[in-house]
């Protein structure tokens, strides 16, 4: 397995590859969720490249950039075992220059929900994914539905900028009890983990209820009764294009939650 430390190395390595290239961008601290993306990429492509880069531009001041879990050696071992051909781990210094050309997230869909609570977050995400796509030039890129709004915006960027890349949507991997896997779960104490579980429980409850009522206010009430979090940032009902909806429309609805448990901010969603 190749380790590529700079964009130049990655660009040169890419030139040696023949056939389809599957790409899995991550911030590392890899778990089964990331692994499921890697395995799907492995099945569908001749080569697989994983990037591990804790992208500073998508963190807001005061967020967990410094303490974000970093486990590069363990991540390399996971990638190697999964048959990854190369891991791209650039430094922030060789990914960014001062006063550079910027990508802006769309004014509406990039500034609701996650974008409202983390203004500028998606500008940073799209900036780095744009760079990564140009460096790796993948045939297919794999993204998790766990970050549903991110996935939506990346698909929009691919359309708007005419990237010749297939975006593959991957299901959310969960612990047996329902907790969505996340690199940030390591921040949770035992008690906080129990309370974090109420997020996936509320979503499950909502999905079940949606066969009885389509009214989002009614469903939201029931979700609030299940949730035990410190700070609920949003419960939202949107269609697959992230337009807010009042009525559930089957196969065209996403219910999303963002909440803080202690100081840990978690997101989860369910596609209905
Ligand atoms: P991250 O390292 O958190 O930036 O995530 C890298 C990729 O893995 C993103 O496309 C995420 O949506 C995806 N991902 C994160 N958690 C999960 C999960 N539990 N199941 C499936 N994909 C996930």
């Amino acid at each position: 397995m190749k380790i590529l430390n700079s964009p130049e190395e990655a660009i040169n390595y890419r030139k040696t590859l023949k056939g389809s290239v599957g790409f899995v961008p991550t911030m590392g601290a890899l778990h089964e969720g990331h692994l499921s993306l890697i395995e799907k990429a492995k099945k569908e492509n001749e080569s697989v490249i994983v990037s591990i880069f804790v992208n500073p531009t998508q963190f807001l001041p005061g967020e967990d950039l410094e303490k974000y879990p970093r486990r590069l050696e363990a991540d390399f071992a996971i990638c190697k075992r999964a048959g990854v051909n190369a891991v791209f781990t650039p430094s922030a210094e060789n990914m960014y220059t001062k006063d550079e050309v910027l990508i802006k997230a769309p004014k509406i869909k990039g500034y609701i929900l996650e974008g409202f609570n983390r203004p500028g977050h998606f500008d940073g995400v799209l900036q780095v994914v744009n760079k990564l796509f140009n460096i790796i030039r993948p045939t297919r890129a794999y993204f998790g539905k766990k970050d549903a709004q991110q996935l939506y915006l990346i698909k929009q960027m691919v359309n708007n900028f005419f990237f010749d890349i297939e975006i593959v949507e991957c299901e959310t991997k969960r612990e047996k009890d329902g907790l969505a896997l996340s690199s940030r779960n390591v921040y949770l104490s035992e008690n906080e983990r129990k309370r974090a579980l109420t997020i996936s429980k509320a979503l499950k409850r909502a999905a079940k209820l949606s066969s009885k009522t389509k009214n989002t206010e009614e469903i939201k009430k029931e979700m609030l009764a299940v949730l035990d979090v410190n700070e609920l940032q949003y419960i939202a009902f949107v269609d697959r294009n992230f337009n807010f909806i009042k009525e559930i429309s089957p196969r065209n609805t996403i219910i999303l939650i963002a909440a803080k448990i202690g100081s840990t901010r978690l997101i989860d969603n369910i596609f209905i």
Side-chain angles (χ1 to χ4, degrees):
M1 189 178 77
K2 281 256 181 216
I3 308 293
L4 310 164
N5 290 307
S6 70
E8 290 70 29
E9 274 177 63
I11 288 166
N12 287 329
Y13 173 75
R14 174 65 179 93
K15 287 182 186 155
T16 68
L17 297 179
K18 298 204 168 55
S20 62
V21 174
F23 176 44
V24 184
T26 81
M27 297 206 299
L30 300 181
H31 51 62
E32 292 287 327
H34 298 115
L35 192 58
S36 69
L37 271 56
I38 294 170
E39 282 167 352
K40 200 167 161 62
K42 185 81 191 149
K43 271 198 204 113
E44 298 175 355
N45 299 279
E46 274 140 278
S47 311
V48 172
I49 301 179
V50 172
S51 66
I52 298 176
F53 180 56
V54 183
N55 172 38
T57 64
Q58 70 188 70
F59 287 78
L60 271 61
E63 287 190 344
D64 56 345
L65 173 62
E66 279 81 30
K67 74 164 191 171
Y68 194 85
R70 288 164 173 87
R71 290 198 303 259
L72 215 46
E73 287 308 315
D75 290 350
F76 288 160
I78 291 170
C79 289
K80 199 167 175 190
R81 225 179 303 129
V84 168
N85 301 80
V87 179
F88 177 44
T89 58
S91 66
E93 289 71 31
N94 57 32
M95 281 294 271
Y96 289 102
T97 56
K98 275 194 187 132
D99 193 26
E100 63 176 34
V101 176
L102 298 172
I103 305 282
K104 290 291 285 176
K107 284 198 178 78
I108 299 169
K109 307 275 171 78
Y111 285 86
I112 55 170
L113 305 172
E114 283 307 282
F116 179 78
N117 285 280
R118 306 178 70 189
H121 166 69
F122 287 124
D123 297 351
V125 169
L126 297 179
Q127 183 84 2
V128 78
V129 171
N130 202 290
K131 286 172 188 268
L132 291 169
F133 280 179
N134 283 316
I135 294 165
I136 306 296
R137 291 187 293 110
T139 316
R140 301 184 183 87
Y142 295 77
F143 290 89
K145 286 160 88 171
K146 159 88 166 36
D147 299 282
Q149 193 178 1
Q150 167 177 284
L151 172 59
Y152 169 78
L153 291 170
I154 285 166
K155 284 197 290 186
Q156 195 180 333
M157 180 176 77
V158 162
N159 286 333
N160 292 163
F161 291 169
F162 304 100
F163 277 105
D164 185 17
I165 296 172
E166 183 189 334
I167 302 300
V168 182
E169 306 188 2
C170 305
E171 295 304 322
T172 300
K173 276 270 167 189
R174 297 175 181 282
E175 304 271 12
K176 276 202 185 73
D177 57 11
L179 183 71
L181 292 174
S182 162
S183 303
R184 289 191 168 98
N185 289 351
V186 297
Y187 300 149
L188 300 170
S189 70
E190 205 175 310
N191 181 263
E192 285 173 339
R193 194 194 173 286
K194 272 189 200 143
R195 297 173 57 223
L197 205 53
T198 65
I199 297 175
S200 57
K201 280 197 174 138
L203 290 167
K204 231 173 151 183
R205 176 100 187 89
K208 207 167 167 201
L209 216 64
S210 70
S211 60
K212 287 200 200 98
T213 174
K214 302 283 172 262
N215 185 301
T216 57
E217 278 309 313
E218 264 177 61
I219 294 175
K220 189 174 170 180
K221 243 184 240 162
E222 292 281 330
M223 291 172 78
L224 287 170
V226 175
L227 281 171
D228 175 17
V229 299
N230 293 89
E231 181 193 334
L232 178 61
Q233 296 193 334
Y234 59 80
I235 291 180
F237 298 80
V238 297
D239 67 14
R240 295 284 203 271
N241 291 316
F242 278 83
N243 300 302
F244 289 104
I245 53 172
K246 286 197 161 62
E247 295 279 313
I248 302 269
S249 135
R251 288 177 297 283
N252 188 24
T253 298
I254 313 171
I255 308 178
L256 309 106
I257 296 179
K260 275 190 171 177
I261 310 277
S263 57
T264 305
R265 185 174 185 280
L266 298 175
I267 59 169
D268 198 357
N269 64 67
I270 197 160
F271 283 57
I272 289 179

